[in-house]
Amino acid sequence: SAVISQKPSRDICQRGTSLTIQCQVDSQVTMMFWYRQQPGQSLTLIATANQGSEATYESGFVIDKFPISRPNLTFSTLTVSNMSPEDSSIYLCSVGSVHNEQFFGPGTRLTVL
Amino acid sequence: KQEVTQIPAALSVPEGENLVLNCSFTDSAIYNLQWFRQDPGKGLTSLLLIQSSQREQTSGRLNASLDKSSGRSTLYIAASQPGDSATYLCAVKETSGSRLTFGEGTQLTVNP
């Protein structure tokens, strides 16, 4: 199984600011996934990040709002830009194993005031 | 478009009871199905992974079954304990390496 860490674990931010979330994996992976979990809801995929190429965004999510970096095979960042209270969520990064088992980081709990 | 449904949304049981959580999906052409546990405000812990060619998987007191043709999976928890209290999520993957589609989860409370 993959060991995934995320920073920060939680943050409280002001409206209009941006927050960058880091995801570190203990092994090299081709694809990293970023999910959002709004309060009381299930997980929704934001984008898939491949090393060396542009991230692929799901319907309803755009690069200007959620820019993603993937500088190497063990690390990725997700930025939540120009935040509003509607962005208050848990943000999780995820990777798959060679057996297609999915593993998740501990999440970043974001509150926007 | 794949849709995943979990029933019940919430369940409260006394300690020691055996219980079943249900998951259904609309498109039976899945690659695998995975059950997760989520504690409040935390990330997801993988419990069981069932490949499309498998019928069930077991881990300790947990047993998950898969009936791909009917679009259903169940998670059986034997001899439930207060520490089992959490939200249980099922998710399906449609192709190798693709994203997961999640259900809304079942919030389980096991009372001592």
Side-chain angles (χ1 to χ4, degrees):
Chain A
S1 66
V3 177
I4 306 170
S5 60
Q6 286 185 234
K7 290 182 182 179
S9 58
R10 58 173 60 215
D11 207 342
I12 300 172
C13 300
Q14 294 296 321
R15 181 195 299 261
T17 62
S18 297
L19 176 72
T20 295
I21 302 167
Q22 300 178 7
C23 178
Q24 180 76 50
V25 188
D26 69 342
S27 58
Q28 295 184 338
V29 293
T30 304
M31 288 190 288
M32 296 178 77
F33 302 85
W34 285 98
Y35 286 83
R36 179 176 75 179
Q37 186 177 32
Q38 294 178 300
Q41 298 189 26
S42 193
L43 281 76
T44 301
L45 182 66
I46 298 171
T48 304
N50 289 330
Q51 195 271 332
S53 64
E54 292 281 329
T56 303
Y57 289 82
E58 295 296 304
S59 176
F61 297 96
V62 295
I63 188 171
D64 289 346
K65 176 67 175 176
F66 297 101
I68 288 172
S69 78
R70 184 78 202 274
N72 58 54
L73 291 172
T74 63
F75 186 80
S76 178
T77 67
L78 170 76
T79 299
V80 186
S81 303
N82 188 25
M83 289 183 286
S84 66
E86 292 71 34
D87 294 318
S88 297
S89 298
I90 300 175
Y91 292 86
L92 301 110
C93 70
S94 176
V95 302
S97 72
V98 294
H99 304 293
N100 268 284
E101 184 173 8
Q102 209 71 20
F103 297 99
F104 285 80
T108 295
R109 190 166 200 168
L110 171 62
T111 301
V112 184
L113 302 177
Chain B
K1 179 187 172 187
Q2 179 75 267
E3 293 183 2
V4 180
T5 304
Q6 291 187 244
I7 295 173
L11 182 63
S12 181
V13 301
E15 182 176 4
E17 193 162 299
N18 302 325
L19 56 100
V20 174
L21 308 181
N22 297 289
C23 172
S24 61
F25 45 95
T26 54
D27 187 343
S28 62
I30 64 170
Y31 187 83
N32 64 32
L33 182 145
Q34 200 166 348
W35 282 93
F36 295 91
R37 168 190 172 132
Q38 185 176 31
D39 293 291
K42 305 292 186 182
L44 277 64
T45 300
S46 178
L47 296 174
L48 289 164
L49 171 71
I50 310 179
Q51 304 291 355
S52 62
S53 59
Q54 298 175 321
R55 295 297 298 264
E56 66 177 341
Q57 283 288 338
T58 298
S59 176
R61 294 183 293 109
L62 305 179
N63 176 278
S65 68
L66 174 64
D67 184 342
K68 218 175 74 162
S69 61
S70 67
R72 294 180 183 178
S73 176
T74 62
L75 179 67
Y76 175 84
I77 303 177
S80 58
Q81 303 170 359
D84 295 329
S85 298
T87 296
Y88 290 80
L89 295 157
C90 76
V92 299
K93 183 173 288 191
E94 295 187 31
T95 60
S96 176
S98 71
R99 64 160 177 188
L100 291 171
T101 301
F102 281 87
E104 296 292 322
T106 294
Q107 186 173 354
L108 173 66
T109 302
V110 181
N111 301 299

